[in-house]
Amino acid sequence: MSFRFTTHHEAGRARTGTFVTPHGPIATPTFMAVGTLATVKALDPDDLRALGATMILGNAYHLHLRPGDALVREMGGLHRFMDWDGPILTDSGGFQVFSLEGLRTIDEGGVDFRSHIDGSKQRFTPESVMQIERNLGADVVMQFDHVAPGQSALDTSRDAMERSLRWLERCRVEHARLRRDDPDAPTPDQALFPIVQGGIHAELRQASCRGIRDGGDWIGYGIGGLSVGEAKPDMYAMLDVVDDALPHDRPRYLMGVGYPEDLVEAVRRGVDLFDCVAPTRMGRNGAALTRDGRINLRNARHRADPGPLDDACDCTTCRRFSRAYLRHLVTADEMLGLRLLSLHNVHFLVALMRDARAAVADGTFDGWSAAWLDRYLAGERARGSVARPVLPHSKK
Amino acid sequence: MSFRFTTHHEAGRARTGTFVTPHGPIATPTFMAVGTLATVKALDPDDLRALGATMILGNAYHLHLRPGDALVREMGGLHRFMDWDGPILTDSGGFQVFSLEGLRTIDEGGVDFRSHIDGSKQRFTPESVMQIERNLGADVVMQFDHVAPGQSALDTSRDAMERSLRWLERCRVEHARLRRDDPDAPTPDQALFPIVQGGIHAELRQASCRGIRDGGDWIGYGIGGLSVGEAKPDMYAMLDVVDDALPHDRPRYLMGVGYPEDLVEAVRRGVDLFDCVAPTRMGRNGAALTRDGRINLRNARHRADPGPLDDACDCTTCRRFSRAYLRHLVTADEMLGLRLLSLHNVHFLVALMRDARAAVADGTFDGWSAAWLDRYLAGERARGSVARPVLPHSKK
């Protein structure tokens, strides 16, 4: 068995741990950068290693359409294809397929949809997605799930949650069959994670957790369908519910959540793994994360600022470049600007989780997290940065 | 005196040398990557150092408009602003200003033009350009010259060449004044290079060289107005003329020339320094240089090719990534693809000049250059890659 999860320290429900995968160990809690199309946008694998990334993501939907999971497998699998020898997790594409409003029809067997690239007809089933993820060869593969819109009513959320449970069983059977019948896949020993659904309905989240646990003993657990438009208190409440309902000795992965304040709040609620396109997307939009909230480099007040984005940051962008230079690159639409900001933003979240681990380990987590949130949110309020995209991971 | 040029080995008119500048020595012949807007497009200074770049370019026209040379100076000069501690050369913007057909009027004093960014009225004179280049703080600054279109008739070429001589004298006086009166500039000791003009008219090129040498003893010499649409034999003929007419103990810089075959032919004719946007522009267009000519990664035949761009190349792109992966990135418009191709292409030219130096040094240059050209041009012919942009450095 290539997978193992060990917890080391606790602070309330927060904990530090080590999640061992076929491609190495991951210190948790951690933030995983999103490499939708076999590249974390604008960053090189060397950048990712240098900033301390351990596990990164790929996406089954996007990679199936381009360049094709069969080609990735022919090229030796995702690790070799993109030259990333650390752990990789692939999302199943459930979120993407269900986001194709008007381009897809759902039945119990699966989903018919049209490619967002060329309009070609496609069909995903729990079984076909397991084959795609087998071909890609990530360490952790997510189940194919039915994702309902964030603020769905009870009935809609229940239908999606219950279908996700039925599809989980089909994923489990097919995943086991592939492990047995296809031992030459790029990563023979993959872990299948179920995904907790249920919208913002506590009873559905509890039922989802029960159904998942009735279906097997899983290496880790995904928590889906959050940070998709619901209010933050609703998201945090769901995390409280799920924390109680999932086993404590397994890693929990909160999918698509990547705002700094949400990471800290979720670590407080026992979450171990995070991913989000926000840091790279913000970078491409000229925005940067700082301990005092987000800043936009297009703002004229950075024009002649010789200081770094964040004077406590040890990323290579902050060690080398001024806000004035970064603003120049961003306003001139230079690719280097987008890259340097993406690098800083991913580093910011990776380092935030590193600091959280240290605070849990040395017994200062409660004070650390409260002070961190106070400072960050005060900066956000001062700047009026209250807007957030409704679907932060919609294009993942 | 911070500048010194020493030649080491010769092979016919080709030679190796060391050009010492305030920011370090340059082994010649060498290719200089173009960082128009204080960034070599898509590349990080660390990328440039890793691939072996020594001297890079900035552009006075572009940096004056964005972010402004005064701001660059306020931020400590171009070296500090873009975190490049090696030698830098700035082009004067003559080429850019004269390319603004319909947006500029020329008089003996200078050029009135409108910014290509916001249409604002601007005026460049030899004196104002010397101040801009003083503020930017490059090691080598080019004179402000009058650049005529590539295939201009004799009279037009003569007028531009003669005006360039008169403007050179004004640049010389102002450059000397600034060295004396503005000792606190980012790079106190800058070298002013004149630019040989004269189109494809041998007698004008000779007159230009005579006029320049009458005007002073220069640290190095630029050769401008070539690779702007004229036939290659015409360009090579002009290099023969200029080689005879310039002092052999000073570096010669062939401006805006960056096709591999042109570099080899020009080294054969005594040229030491080159620059061109071609390698990064090609990279952004999905094209790559190889010893067998250019290839375009969008071509379907690279779809499942597990090999590198060039199996003899030791750049980090070729060491890590397959053509299949690069093709995937390029067809998906991923920034990493443009960066990896730009990195390879700049490395290709830097390494080509490294190999040329080695061949000159060990006495094999004639055979090496003939074999290199045979192989490269055979590949180009086989692929039908005969097209070349009319103005390879138009957007520098």
Side-chain angles (χ1 to χ4, degrees), chain A residues 196-383:
Chain A
V196 177
Q197 291 291 355
I200 53 173
H201 309 286
E203 65 276 30
L204 296 186
R205 290 281 172 182
Q206 285 159 334
S208 178
C209 291
R210 273 196 309 273
I212 286 169
R213 298 182 71 173
D214 287 346
D217 180 24
W218 307 92
I219 291 170
Y221 295 79
I223 306 166
L226 291 174
S227 196
V228 289
E230 78 283 4
K232 279 179 190 283
D234 288 339
M235 172 166 79
Y236 302 153
M238 291 305 104
L239 294 178
D240 289 331
V241 167
V242 170
D243 176 58
D244 289 335
L246 290 181
H248 286 84
D249 59 350
R250 300 296 158 90
R252 296 93 171 269
Y253 160 36
L254 178 54
M255 304 179 71
V257 172
Y259 286 98
E261 65 273 35
D262 293 342
L263 262 63
V264 173
E265 293 286 4
V267 168
R268 280 179 164 179
R269 290 167 174 82
V271 174
D272 306 293
L273 300 169
F274 302 90
D275 81 285
C276 192
V277 297
T280 45
R281 184 175 296 173
M282 287 175 61
R284 296 198 302 286
N285 291 332
L289 296 165
T290 80
R291 289 171 302 158
D292 296 300
R294 286 169 287 175
I295 59 172
N296 194 315
L297 272 295
R298 293 186 192 276
N299 193 307
R301 73 193 163 89
H302 304 300
R303 200 187 73 88
D305 187 338
L309 293 174
D310 187 319
D311 57 22
C313 180
D314 59 353
C315 83
T316 65
T317 299
C318 287
R319 285 206 309 268
R320 298 184 294 161
F321 300 109
S322 62
R323 290 188 180 194
Y325 181 63
L326 296 168
R327 177 175 193 279
H328 162 60
L329 294 179
V330 166
T331 55
D333 287 327
E334 283 285 350
M335 271 191 275
L336 181 60
L338 316 181
R339 174 175 166 218
L340 293 172
L341 291 182
S342 296
L343 191 156
H344 167 82
N345 288 339
V346 173
H347 175 276
F348 187 89
L349 296 182
V350 167
L352 175 62
M353 291 297 92
R354 179 193 66 198
D355 293 348
R357 294 195 300 271
V360 171
D362 68 14
T364 59
F365 180 74
D366 282 353
W368 173 86
S369 59
W372 197 96
L373 286 168
D374 278 352
R375 178 170 176 171
Y376 184 85
L377 295 173
E380 290 275 284
R381 277 191 299 273
R383 224 168 266 113

Side-chain angles (χ1 to χ4, degrees), chain A residues 38 41 44 320 325 328 334, chain B residues 37-38 41 44 320 325 334:
Chain A
K41 288 190 190 302
D44 185 293
R320 298 184 294 161
Y325 181 63
H328 162 60
E334 283 285 350
Chain B
L37 275 165
K41 288 192 190 300
D44 185 293
R320 298 183 294 161
Y325 181 64
E334 283 286 350

